[in-house]
Amino acid sequence: MAETMQAIGPLRTHSALSPPRSANGRTPPGYRVLHVIVPEPIFNHVKAQAYLSGMRFPEYVARFLEEAWPYKDARPPQGAVAPAGTGGGHAE
C-alpha cells in the first residue's frame, strides 16, 4: 500500500479533499459527481464514521475514496451489475 500512496502523492488535509462549491451549481473542473445507492444502515455507518473522525461527510467520503485499494475477492456486491466490457465474472 505504501507504493500506492506514493504514486498518488502526499495525503492532503481533509479540507483540501472536498471540492469547492460552485455558485452556479456546476461541477468544478477536474471533479466528478458520484451517486451511489446504499442500504440505510451502511449510509448511517459511514455518516457516523465521518462524525467520529471530526470531518464533514463529503470530506470523509472523498478521503475514503482517495485511500481505496483493490479487494482480494474482487466479486461484485450482491445485486450489482458489472460495467460493460469488464466480463463481470461471465465467460465471453
Side-chain angles (χ1 to χ4, degrees):
M1 181 151 162
E3 295 105 11
T4 302
M5 294 310 294
Q6 288 173 350
I8 293 173
L11 280 179
R12 298 169 289 171
T13 62
H14 65 273
S15 61
L17 292 172
S18 187
R21 298 209 177 226
S22 172
N24 62 6
R26 293 189 178 151
T27 303
Y31 287 89
R32 299 289 298 243
V33 175
L34 179 68
H35 295 273
V36 181
I37 298 173
V38 297
E40 190 167 352
I42 292 175
F43 174 81
N44 292 335
H45 171 73
V46 174
K47 193 85 165 163
Q49 297 312 307
Y51 175 79
L52 293 172
S53 298
M55 299 171 74
R56 292 183 327 118
F57 184 68
E59 294 166 350
Y60 180 85
V61 172
R63 183 166 178 183
F64 184 86
L65 292 171
E66 185 176 57
E67 296 174 358
W69 65 87
Y71 290 106
K72 291 185 196 280
D73 62 340
R75 65 185 192 283
Q78 185 176 358
V81 177
T86 63
H90 300 290
E92 291 188 14

